[in-house]
Amino acid sequence: MADEMRHLIGMLLGTEEDWPTAFETLLGRVGPIKDASGTTHHVTVERITMEPFDLRDKPRYDLVVDRLAYWYYLPREWLKKVALMDDVYLLNSPFTFQSMEKHAAYCAMLRLGLKVPQTVLVPHKNPPDNARFAYTAAKYNQPFDLDQIAERIGYPLFMKPYDGGQWIGVSHISNSAELHRAYDQSGQRLMHLQAAVDGFDVFARSLSIGAETMVMKFRPDLPMHDRYAVAHDFLTPAVGDEVLTISRLINAFFRWEFNSCETLVRGTEAHPIDYANASPDVAVTSLHYYFPWAMKALLRWCVFCVVTGRRPQLDLDTRRYFEIGDREDLSYEEKLAGYRKLADEYFEVERYLDFCDSRLAHVDELVFDWVDSPDFDGLLVDTVRSTYPPHEQERFLAHFRGLVGQWVREQAPA
Ligand SMILES: Nc1ncnc2c1ncn2[C@@H]1O[C@H](COP(=O)(O)OP(=O)(O)O)[C@@H](O)[C@H]1O
Ligand SMILES: [Mg+2]
């Protein structure tokens, strides 16, 4: 084996500047990493540009962090090429993210026994643009009574796209008039009707990056900068662990390693409602207090993957999960414990933690030093300037400085 190895991480970026700058800065400070065999690894990062590509081209990247493929075809197809042909490590599988819409994810998790609220898929309101549809519909489509479906689910309920994101097309429905208004507006979009988890106690949003997950208290009704509350013991240890297990299960099941998951907790029951977010929000203006954690996790996971040569696993092993889910002799808790084992195995949790301890022990301090420095404050100032109108900048800067300052005070060496 060579004594020195170089690894290049690529980032496919859209409009974000804050976290990519943070990631570049921190990775630049990690320095060479010696593995157990004595080989020294040098890890660097570069922003990827888009251009025509020959399918036989060899990419220069060992790992790619993608924030673009959900929106645009060219990077998406390039990712598939480098995954299939070149074994480039991708944090999220572009294959499952394209094909496993919210709908498919609900189906898989229902089979595994998760408490997904009752959900019905209804045909689109307006016919698709296809000359043959009228014939097919007249011959094969059964008439249905939308009101009856809604009454069976019970009000209030949610109508939302089967493949949704960013709350687009999501409506809260309390009666038949609202139901029909929303359905009429849905046009050609395929919609779910879903029982509302009414009066939930906590909206838990968990951000997962590789083997790490942060379960955060989310307040969806507040403006973006206030949605993540800084709160630590808002779930009992048991429910907190359940939410973490659900997130890790979903991510391992679909091969998603940079994803957020939404779980509504009512009493002691955890109901997952949304868990396919290919470009989870990691802006410093959303995560604030949790931003240093997210950057550290992204840094450690990417370095772990390239330095240990973790193999990308695009093929799914759904059967192993279904074998647990289909058993009638196991309780919900026992099934979760079984899934947790499979998910921990997929993410190599133990090996990862050991790697962080033995090879990346200096990362805590370097992240702390940077977040506590004028350089970080400069990044915050730039981000606030480019995010908010001038008359709001001062207020928001104070707000975020306060929250990040809280993190710094809590992390400061005693
Ligand atoms: N079954 C439900 N019960 C309660 N609230 C819900 C339910 N489904 C959706 N919501 C609310 O609507 C929001 C958007 O729905 P979600 O399924 O997360 O769609 P999106 O993928 O667009 O984020 C959620 O964040 C939540 O506040
Ligand atoms: Mg959502």
Side-chain angles (χ1 to χ4, degrees), residues 396-413:
F396 278 115
L397 194 56
H399 177 75
F400 294 123
R401 276 181 177 150
L403 290 162
V404 173
Q406 182 182 344
W407 182 85
V408 168
R409 281 193 304 281
E410 287 176 16
Q411 300 289 316

Side-chain angles (χ1 to χ4, degrees), residues 8-10 48 59 61-66 78-79 82-84 86-94 210-211 255-258 301-314 346-348:
L8 182 57
I9 293 172
I48 303 174
Y61 309 98
D62 296 284
L63 179 151
V64 172
V65 183
D66 160 58
W78 180 80
L79 283 171
V82 301
L84 287 172
D86 312 300
D87 276 335
V88 172
Y89 197 95
L90 306 178
L91 295 196
N92 286 328
S93 162
R255 304 331 196 195
W256 298 335
E257 304 188 353
F258 191 9
W301 182 250
C302 290
V303 169
F304 169 75
C305 290
V306 296
V307 169
T308 64
R310 176 172 157 87
R311 280 171 62 107
Q313 297 181 52
L314 295 168
Y346 171 77
F347 281 108
E348 301 182 275

Side-chain angles (χ1 to χ4, degrees), residues 102 166-167 203 205 262 273-274 277:
K102 186 178 264 162
Q166 301 195 312
W167 299 28
F203 188 128
R205 197 152 206 257
E262 298 175 348
I273 55 151
D274 183 17
N277 296 297

